[in-house]
């Protein structure tokens, strides 16, 4: 059975193998499948500046095998939108303790067009609700907008779409709500809470210390 595990700096020692699979799959999927060649690494592991002690990973694992994943990161720290894509957020880059950035989302090929995608979307909403997060921000290709609408997610554009490597992309903020969580759970026929928080206390999100 597939479960989504919450992994932070505090419990990553339980998940070293899954995290290695996550970075390897990110390379296979984002570099080799999607062609984001700027992320290519000689060791076949896609790791960036935001894979550090502040990142939270929500990984879908089935019988020890990683089948999908995503990353959340504090917007109070320099993050991908503030550092790499600020030009996409003409209405301003949202930065607050209750807003996280959402990146590196994927489902392995064999599990696509199935329930894993909705499981990951539900996991993101469930985790954020539990942590008092109100929005997540992301840079996405435009085809995410109808997907989010179908999932029952409310989306606020942060600026106009622009081409990135030939693809129209947009920066957006997605609202965290019980209604969205229930909608996406219903779509996938999921019942109740499903996150595994191995070795973590009930609330883990900490506001990072930011120098004045
Ligand atoms: C940043 C993301 C942030 C949220 C953090 O009938 P179809 O096949 O056309 O239905 C497809 C399309 O409508 C659309 N879609 C998926 N990939 C697309 C692409 N490259 N270009 C245009 N449209 C695309 O979604 C429908 C369902 O896709 P799917 O792959 O059959 O199934 P599933 O299970 O919903 O998985 C969707 C995702 C995006 C998770 C999966 O395709 C994947 O892992 N792709 C590679 C990683 C990726 O591109 N991640 C998003 C960027 S990170």
């Amino acid at each position: 059975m597939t479960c989504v595990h919450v992994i932070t700096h505090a419990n990553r020692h339980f998940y070293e193998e899954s995290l290695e699979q996550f970075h390897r799959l990110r390379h296979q999927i984002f570099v080799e499948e999607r062609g984001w060649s700027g992320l290519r690494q000689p060791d076949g592991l896609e790791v960036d500046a935001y894979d550090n002690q502040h990142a939270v990973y929500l990984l879908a694992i089935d019988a020890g095998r990683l089948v999908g994943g995503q990353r959340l990161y504090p917007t109070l720290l320099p993050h991908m939108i503030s550092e790499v894509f600020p030009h996409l957020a003409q209405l301003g880059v949202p930065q607050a303790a209750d807003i996280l950035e959402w990146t590196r989302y994927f489902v392995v090929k064999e599990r696509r067009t199935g329930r894993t995608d909705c499981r990951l979307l539900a996991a993101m909403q469930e985790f954020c609700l539990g942590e008092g997060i109100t929005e997540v921000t992301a840079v996405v290709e435009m085809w995410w907008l109808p997907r989010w609408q179908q999932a029952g997610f409310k989306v606020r554009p942060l600026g106009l779409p622009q081409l990135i490597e030939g693809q129209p992309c947009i920066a957006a903020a997605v609202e965290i709500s019980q209604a969205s969580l229930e909608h996406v759970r219903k779509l996938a026929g999921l019942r109740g809470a499903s996150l595994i928080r191995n070795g973590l206390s009930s609330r883990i999100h900490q506001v990072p210390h930011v120098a004045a």
Side-chain angles (χ1 to χ4, degrees):
M1 181 187 159
T2 307
C3 293
V4 179
H5 295 246
V6 180
I7 302 169
T8 73
H9 190 59
N11 70 345
R12 62 172 295 142
H13 52 284
F14 293 128
Y15 290 101
E16 292 302 345
E17 212 175 293
S18 298
L19 286 167
E20 153 112 23
Q21 282 181 52
F22 181 59
H23 291 294
R24 196 164 297 286
L25 282 164
R26 274 169 45 177
H27 201 277
Q28 275 169 25
I29 290 173
F30 293 113
V31 178
E32 278 143 39
E33 176 188 341
R34 298 299 326 276
W36 299 358
S37 50
L39 304 181
R40 185 175 293 281
Q41 296 290 333
D43 60 1
L45 299 173
E46 198 270 301
V47 180
D48 70 14
Y50 313 108
D51 290 302
N52 58 36
Q53 73 270 28
H54 303 291
V56 175
Y57 304 99
L58 302 179
L59 302 189
I61 299 175
D62 189 346
R65 182 165 167 259
L66 188 71
V67 294
Q70 55 194 324
R71 179 178 66 183
L72 295 165
Y73 195 81
T75 57
L76 279 182
L77 294 174
H79 57 291
M80 211 180 274
I81 295 182
S82 71
E83 293 197 301
V84 185
F85 299 115
H87 52 286
L88 290 182
Q90 300 111 23
L91 299 175
V93 177
Q95 294 190 268
D98 62 352
I99 303 177
L100 297 177
E101 183 177 55
W102 187 22
T103 52
R104 298 301 190 258
Y105 184 100
F106 71 84
V107 170
V108 296
K109 274 192 173 164
E110 313 83 82
R111 291 296 184 99
R112 292 195 192 155
T113 326
R115 296 201 318 173
T116 307
D117 177 58
C118 287
R119 245 184 232 289
L120 284 171
L121 294 175
M124 187 280 288
Q125 288 278 349
E126 183 185 329
F127 172 78
C128 289
L129 274 174
E131 298 290 321
I133 301 300
T134 58
E135 276 187 331
V136 292
T137 55
V139 170
V140 292
E141 291 156 304
M142 294 298 283
W143 48 265
W144 275 88
L145 300 182
R147 283 171 57 79
W148 280 336
Q149 193 185 25
Q150 199 189 14
F153 287 14
K154 288 205 178 123
V155 180
R156 174 171 78 86
L158 302 177
L160 292 171
Q162 292 184 31
L163 287 183
I164 299 177
E165 297 195 8
Q167 290 293 322
C169 292
I170 191 165
V174 175
E175 184 185 288
I176 300 302
S177 73
Q178 190 67 39
S180 296
L181 173 58
E182 276 159 23
H183 186 108
V184 73
R185 271 185 184 154
K186 205 167 163 192
L187 267 185
L190 305 173
R191 270 174 280 127
S194 61
L195 286 178
I196 308 278
R197 309 171 69 99
N198 205 355
L200 293 173
S201 57
S202 56
R203 190 160 168 149
I204 52 142
H205 183 64
Q206 286 176 355
V207 179
H209 174 76
V210 181

